[in-house]
Amino acid sequence: MQPVISVWVRDPRIQKNDFWHAYIDYEIGLHTNSVFFTKKISIVRRRFSEFVWLRQRLQANSMLMISLPPLPPKNPFFSLNNAKQIAERIQGLQKFLEQIVQSPLLLSDSCLHLFLQSQLSISKMDACVAGRTHFSVAQAVQCCTLRRFHFEDDLPNDSSLSCDCDSDSFESRDPDSEIKASSVDITGNTHSLDVSGPSQEEGSLCCSFEST
């Protein structure tokens, strides 16, 4: 059987930390029959700064043996209210992931699997890959329906990982901090932004999640 890896980016949602600080995260879906993945169907949510982290880790781990595709450029004038800018970013992020999953070398990287198929934050993914957690990469992937691992509190705090470089966020925040508000659009209503067109319902096939 020919291996197939289908990955998509869609459903942008505005997440608010408080009245002044907000950012956008995106649904990342995966459907595959590839032997590289033990979990064949998954859905998580990631923000732009987490894509930046992934590219940096993949480039470092591949020892510059391959040239990674670029991410959409950071835009200091990126607006949460601009549907055109959001749609262009979604297209760029999907193109990035589509090229990444074509490389057997990158598919063997634990960082990619945690990014695509776990709900761990950046600092927890780093800790898991480094063996500083009580759970393995495989356990993190299989337990992606859980909002948090009960033993994550045992992980050491690393202040060097707390700065979020996302250009669509208005602050530097701790990636492990709780989001106190639900997904909202620019009018304050609780639903996702409609910039990528209608999507098929995947809920019956994929794991549930809560944004962290």
Side-chain angles (χ1 to χ4, degrees), residues 144-195:
C144 76
T145 55
L146 299 179
R147 185 164 183 264
R148 298 181 73 89
F149 286 92
H150 295 299
F151 34 76
E152 279 192 1
D153 292 339
D154 296 335
L155 294 173
N157 292 323
D158 188 346
S159 59
S160 67
L161 299 174
S162 64
C163 182
D164 194 331
C165 59
D166 195 346
S167 62
D168 57 15
S169 175
F170 301 109
E171 67 168 1
S172 293
R173 70 176 185 92
D174 185 343
D176 302 325
S177 64
E178 297 293 334
I179 303 300
K180 296 182 180 179
S182 61
S183 300
V184 297
D185 67 359
I186 58 176
T187 62
N189 298 320
T190 56
H191 61 270
S192 60
L193 297 171
D194 183 13
V195 299

Side-chain angles (χ1 to χ4, degrees), residues 4-202:
V4 175
I5 305 176
S6 177
V7 63
W8 65 83
V9 181
R10 66 186 181 193
D11 189 23
R13 296 183 182 181
I14 296 178
Q15 306 286 357
K16 283 192 173 181
N17 290 334
D18 53 42
F19 182 78
W20 297 105
H21 306 121
Y23 63 91
I24 293 179
D25 66 9
Y26 309 88
E27 177 185 290
I28 312 299
L30 178 76
H31 193 174
T32 182
N33 63 1
S34 170
V35 296
F36 282 98
F37 295 90
T38 56
K39 193 163 192 170
K40 305 305 183 183
I41 301 174
S42 61
I43 288 181
V44 298
R45 298 197 70 84
R46 295 294 183 189
R47 61 188 296 182
F48 183 77
S49 59
E50 291 172 311
F51 279 86
V52 174
W53 170 87
L54 175 64
R55 190 180 188 281
Q56 291 173 343
R57 291 297 182 273
L58 291 178
Q59 190 69 81
N61 294 345
S62 65
M63 305 294 290
L64 303 178
M65 294 175 61
I66 61 175
S67 178
L68 269 68
L71 286 168
K74 289 186 178 182
N75 182 357
F77 304 105
F78 187 90
S79 172
L80 303 184
N81 306 334
N82 191 317
K84 182 176 182 294
Q85 288 182 336
I86 295 171
E88 290 174 347
R89 174 167 285 186
I90 288 175
Q91 292 174 0
L93 294 176
Q94 176 151 335
K95 183 177 180 181
F96 169 77
L97 289 180
E98 287 174 342
Q99 294 182 55
I100 288 296
V101 298
Q102 298 305 313
S103 168
L105 175 61
L106 299 179
L107 285 174
S108 64
D109 196 307
S110 296
C111 291
L112 178 61
H113 289 264
L114 290 174
F115 175 88
L116 290 175
Q117 296 194 302
S118 85
Q119 291 296 151
L120 299 182
S121 62
I122 286 176
S123 60
K124 297 299 188 294
M125 288 189 285
D126 274 331
C128 185
V129 170
R132 300 197 307 271
T133 60
H134 297 166
F135 52 89
S136 66
V137 172
Q139 288 173 323
V141 168
Q142 290 300 325
C143 296
C144 76
T145 55
L146 299 179
R147 185 164 183 264
R148 298 181 73 89
F149 286 92
H150 295 299
F151 34 76
E152 279 192 1
D153 292 339
D154 296 335
L155 294 173
N157 292 323
D158 188 346
S159 59
S160 67
L161 299 174
S162 64
C163 182
D164 194 331
C165 59
D166 195 346
S167 62
D168 57 15
S169 175
F170 301 109
E171 67 168 1
S172 293
R173 70 176 185 92
D174 185 343
D176 302 325
S177 64
E178 297 293 334
I179 303 300
K180 296 182 180 179
S182 61
S183 300
V184 297
D185 67 359
I186 58 176
T187 62
N189 298 320
T190 56
H191 61 270
S192 60
L193 297 171
D194 183 13
V195 299
S196 56
S199 61
Q200 297 178 347
E201 183 60 47
E202 301 283 347

